[in-house]
């Protein structure tokens, strides 16, 4: 079955206007897959409205570092997509950021179809992971291999999501971590997050004018203080303990 025959919505998060380099790149990628997607206009990091969705107090209490305005804007964009998805009557959605590139079109198409034929295996199925952690479990769904990591790895460039996961993520009225960091705490919302392995998608912002987040992240790291770093060690120890308890429930 061609992807064009699969009746699920596809969304691309972007902050570019029509004709922009990233949009054109995403359109080319989608066309090669036979997909049509809705471009969802994200938020600029200078938009003051994004701060109303961010809980700075909980960030200081429960996160190892402050978020940059760019990371807040990206999370707001994903939440906008999830709301758009939930306003439809579809059970699943395919989500991209505009700097994605499919590594193997045939395997990627097959992975989407395999995932949709066995949705009981996942709430979120990721197609890209940056520096993945230790693999705890491997499964095969059709001809596609999927893995569950000790912690979900960074990267929200391309993923399948079901309605239940979108509803749970949006039940948190204000967020305090980056979107991909939130996914590495799946026990908080009872999420089952799996990844296709190896990656079938890569992030190619370096070919599209550079990362929109990296410079701000480096600036935040330079400003990190000793007390915050020490508290971060406490948070990491707590995360490890919770992760062990959560992962044991899969045994």
């Amino acid at each position: 079955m061609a992807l064009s025959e699969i009746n699920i919505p596809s969304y691309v998060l972007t902050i570019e206007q029509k004709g922009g380099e990233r949009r054109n790149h995403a359109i080319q990628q989608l066309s090669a897959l036979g997909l049509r997607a809705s471009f969802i206009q994200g938020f600029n990091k200078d938009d003051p409205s994004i701060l109303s969705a961010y809980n700075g107090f909980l960030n200081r209490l429960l996160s190892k570092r402050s978020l940059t305005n760019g990371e807040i804007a990206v999370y707001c964009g994903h939440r906008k997509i999830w709301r758009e998805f939930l306003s439809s009557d579809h059970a699943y959605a395919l989500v991209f950021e505009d700097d994605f590139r499919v590594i193997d079109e045939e395997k990627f198409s097959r992975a989407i179809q395999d995932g949709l034929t066995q949705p009981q295996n996942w709430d979120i199925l990721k197609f890209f992971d940056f520096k993945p952690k230790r693999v705890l479990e491997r499964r095969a769904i059709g001809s596609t291999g999927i893995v569950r990591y000790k912690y979900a790895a960074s990267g929200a460039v391309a993923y399948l999501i079901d309605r239940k996961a979108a509803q749970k993520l949006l039940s948190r009225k204000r967020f305090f971590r980056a979107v991909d960091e939130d996914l590495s705490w799946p026990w908080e919302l009872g999420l089952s997050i799996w990844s296709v392995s190896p990656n079938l998608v890569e992030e190619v912002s370096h070919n599209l004018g550079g990362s929109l987040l990296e410079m701000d992240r480096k600036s935040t790291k330079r400003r990190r203080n000793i007390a915050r770093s020490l508290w971060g060690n406490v948070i990491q120890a707590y995360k490890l303990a919770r992760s062990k308890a959560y992962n044991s429930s899969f045994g």
Side-chain angles (χ1 to χ4, degrees), residues 33 39 57 96 127 185 194 204 209 218 221 242:
L33 293 166
F39 280 84
F57 172 76
F96 299 98
F127 299 102
W185 295 69
W194 290 73
V204 291
K218 288 180 179 178
K221 286 180 180 179
R242 286 298 308 270

Side-chain angles (χ1 to χ4, degrees), residues 66-128:
S66 300
L67 296 193
T68 67
N69 280 15
E71 289 172 316
I72 295 170
V74 168
Y75 205 148
C76 286
H78 281 271
R79 288 166 67 89
K80 185 176 181 180
I81 286 176
W82 301 335
R83 292 189 184 99
E84 182 77 13
F85 162 42
L86 291 177
S87 71
S88 75
D89 59 358
H90 292 280
Y92 311 100
L94 187 57
V95 181
F96 299 98
E97 293 178 350
D98 62 7
D99 55 356
F100 79 98
R101 189 184 80 84
V102 175
I103 298 170
D104 187 310
E105 294 168 8
E106 182 177 350
K107 289 183 179 178
F108 181 67
S109 298
R110 172 52 56 191
I112 293 172
Q113 294 176 60
D114 286 341
L116 292 173
T117 59
Q118 298 191 43
Q120 70 276 9
N121 283 288
W122 54 270
D123 297 326
I124 295 175
L125 183 60
K126 298 179 65 184
F127 299 102
F128 168 80

Side-chain angles (χ1 to χ4, degrees), residues 19-243:
E21 184 178 13
R22 287 171 175 255
R23 274 197 182 232
N24 288 339
H25 162 80
I27 290 170
Q28 181 271 324
Q29 290 291 302
L30 294 165
S31 177
L33 293 166
L35 281 175
R36 297 183 65 181
S38 299
F39 280 84
I40 302 299
Q41 193 69 29
F43 298 85
N44 190 285
K45 68 178 183 179
D46 298 320
D47 184 343
S49 70
I50 64 175
L51 298 179
S52 64
Y54 177 55
N55 191 322
F57 172 76
L58 285 183
N59 171 268
R60 290 187 293 274
L61 184 65
L62 299 173
S63 184
K64 293 185 290 184
R65 64 177 181 84
S66 300
L67 296 193
T68 67
N69 280 15
E71 289 172 316
I72 295 170
V74 168
Y75 205 148
C76 286
H78 281 271
R79 288 166 67 89
K80 185 176 181 180
I81 286 176
W82 301 335
R83 292 189 184 99
E84 182 77 13
F85 162 42
L86 291 177
S87 71
S88 75
D89 59 358
H90 292 280
Y92 311 100
L94 187 57
V95 181
F96 299 98
E97 293 178 350
D98 62 7
D99 55 356
F100 79 98
R101 189 184 80 84
V102 175
I103 298 170
D104 187 310
E105 294 168 8
E106 182 177 350
K107 289 183 179 178
F108 181 67
S109 298
R110 172 52 56 191
I112 293 172
Q113 294 176 60
D114 286 341
L116 292 173
T117 59
Q118 298 191 43
Q120 70 276 9
N121 283 288
W122 54 270
D123 297 326
I124 295 175
L125 183 60
K126 298 179 65 184
F127 299 102
F128 168 80
D129 287 309
F130 180 71
K131 294 184 178 179
K133 308 299 183 182
R134 180 166 62 90
V135 173
L136 295 180
E137 186 176 355
R138 296 181 184 273
R139 291 181 184 174
I141 51 173
S143 61
T144 300
I146 63 173
V147 297
R148 184 171 61 83
Y149 294 113
K150 180 178 180 180
Y151 305 126
S154 299
V157 176
Y159 57 90
L160 275 170
I161 185 169
D162 67 13
R163 292 186 71 85
K164 178 174 62 176
Q167 290 164 346
K168 287 180 176 180
L169 286 162
L170 289 172
S171 71
R172 181 172 283 159
K173 301 305 179 185
R174 299 172 69 201
F175 58 85
F176 50 92
R177 304 187 191 99
V179 58
D180 45 8
E181 174 67 10
D182 244 0
L183 298 183
S184 73
W185 295 69
W187 52 86
E188 290 184 334
L189 295 172
L191 294 172
S192 177
I193 301 174
W194 290 73
S195 296
V196 172
S197 181
N199 285 345
L200 295 179
V201 170
E202 62 181 346
E203 182 265 335
V204 291
S205 61
H206 57 281
N207 293 330
L208 300 168
S211 171
L212 301 179
L213 300 177
E214 193 57 35
M215 187 177 297
D216 288 346
R217 284 173 175 159
K218 288 180 179 178
S219 177
T220 298
K221 286 180 180 179
R222 287 194 295 268
R223 295 196 303 269
R224 196 175 299 176
N225 60 50
I226 294 176
R228 187 73 185 263
S229 296
L230 291 173
W231 182 239
N233 292 336
V234 175
I235 293 171
Q236 186 62 28
Y238 171 74
K239 182 179 183 181
L240 177 61
R242 286 298 308 270
S243 174

